[in-house]
Amino acid sequence: MFCHACIVQQHPCLPLHRIEEWTGSFFQCTTLKYLGMQVQLGHNPGHRCHNPCLSSGNNFVIIDVSGIQEIALDFCGCENTQIHFKQLLQTAATFNVLEHYHLLSFELKVLAYEFYHSLVRQSDNTGLSHIKDQYSAFMHMVYEWWHLWQLRRSGREHDPTDANGTNSRELAVLCPAYPHPGKNLPDGWESAPPSIQWLYALFIAIDANFCLKCKAVSSDDIDPGLNVGWAYFMKETKYKNYLSARSGEKQECSTCVSHNAINMADTMVSVLWTVHTMTLIGFTVTALNILYNIICQWSKKLWTRMDSMLAHLYVPHDVMQICYFIPKFHIGAHITAYQTMFVGRTNGEIPEHGWANINWVALSTKEMGPGSQCGD
């Protein structure tokens, strides 16, 4: 146990420690701010500024794994210091709490709302202390932290052009199974005889997960996203305009049995899953195998419509050997003619392998706006 002055003196580098004060009969929770500790901005921990400026509101909040706390701050008043609004905002979150939430959100599928209010309970589980709601600020910081972490892992902080120079899909992690000339393809693979071209074929499995579709919340104007088009999601503005121009086209009836993927083909989730997959093809392969539950219908007018597709979505098919297959689990649901036409000795159900685990993330993603979802 220490006196007030000693406690403050021992915590210049530990301003978020939770303190309990002996009242004479029991320990009572208190804060370093209440004991008189001031955190100095613009200087190393433990060093005081010769010209400190007190913050006006004195209500700066820090969100940490240990809870939500207020601290008292002094601005730096030195001649060469940053202006006040660049030294801090009103609320901050530590890297520890951001990393902790990121881990729990994927491993335990914890909702941000539940996580934040667990921190409130960590701060005061009795409900007697008033803790100002910082949930919206916390979500903004989580979103920005994810964005900055993506840029950091891709080495963008060392690039002279900074984040603004990021190219399309530059933040995406390359698939090791994808054919990459100069990496996992031998020299002269393009001129290989037809009998062994299958060795260098690209398999594309398409599927739509209706459990992960979003609610009609927010918009591109309200939630534009920080890095849309830089990783796994394409910029959708032009393609959405393309869809709007063809919204009056009637969906053709199936010549096979009825499937949800056909009945719901006009929904955004079905169309965008297809286009996102096709844009990853690139133009480095000469043999392409496409697997889809409704390939019997999807392939009918694919290349007719491809001729009118936007330039950045166009896939040249005249220089490729293209084969269509129905995944093994779904092939029994098709008519006999299509079972023999699209059969292949391959499983083809790879997209569904991770759905049992990832579907729980829909509790969070379905409430996201378009920019927040595509930026993850």
Side-chain angles (χ1 to χ4, degrees), residues 282-298:
F283 310 114
T284 61
V285 297
T286 57
L288 180 63
N289 298 322
I290 306 177
L291 303 98
Y292 193 13
N293 301 343
I294 57 167
I295 199 74
C296 57
Q297 309 300 309
W298 185 81

Side-chain angles (χ1 to χ4, degrees), residues 73-263:
L73 292 172
D74 287 339
F75 289 107
C76 176
C78 297
E79 182 178 356
N80 60 345
T81 189
Q82 295 280 357
I83 55 180
H84 287 185
F85 82 88
K86 285 190 176 181
Q87 293 186 44
L88 68 115
L89 299 175
Q90 287 299 311
T91 309
T94 64
F95 276 20
N96 282 340
V97 74
L98 293 173
E99 291 174 355
H100 193 57
Y101 168 67
H102 183 72
L103 180 63
L104 294 182
S105 65
F106 283 98
E107 289 300 318
L108 300 181
K109 313 301 184 290
V110 172
L111 300 181
Y113 183 85
E114 295 174 343
F115 179 81
Y116 173 80
H117 282 85
S118 70
L119 297 178
V120 175
R121 290 290 186 180
Q122 179 82 358
S123 305
D124 177 29
N125 201 29
T126 65
L128 299 178
S129 301
H130 174 69
I131 300 176
K132 186 178 179 181
D133 185 21
Q134 303 289 340
Y135 175 69
S136 296
F138 176 68
M139 290 308 301
H140 280 95
M141 288 183 281
V142 166
Y143 188 24
E144 184 176 3
W145 186 79
W146 282 344
H147 169 64
L148 294 176
W149 195 251
Q150 268 192 307
L151 292 173
R152 178 187 173 186
R153 287 190 169 183
S154 301
R156 293 304 307 169
E157 74 273 20
H158 300 300
D159 194 286
T161 60
D162 204 4
N164 295 326
T166 307
N167 297 319
S168 177
R169 295 191 289 274
E170 187 174 346
L171 303 186
V173 178
L174 294 179
C175 174
Y178 188 95
H180 297 284
K183 295 180 180 179
N184 57 3
L185 290 178
D187 295 335
W189 66 271
E190 310 97 319
S191 57
S195 58
I196 62 170
Q197 275 290 338
W198 60 270
L199 288 173
Y200 315 120
L202 174 63
F203 282 76
I204 293 292
I206 305 174
D207 216 332
N209 188 341
F210 295 101
C211 291
L212 289 175
K213 64 182 179 181
C214 295
K215 292 183 178 179
V217 296
S218 192
S219 64
D220 291 324
D221 295 329
I222 298 175
D223 185 21
L226 297 176
N227 57 12
V228 177
W230 291 357
Y232 302 100
F233 288 85
M234 54 176 274
K235 292 183 178 180
E236 300 172 355
T237 305
K238 293 182 179 180
Y239 187 66
K240 285 182 177 178
N241 294 335
Y242 174 86
L243 292 179
S244 299
R246 288 158 177 80
S247 59
E249 295 182 9
K250 186 178 180 181
Q251 175 66 34
E252 297 182 8
C253 295
S254 173
T255 57
C256 190
V257 295
S258 179
H259 300 283
N260 281 340
I262 298 175
N263 298 335

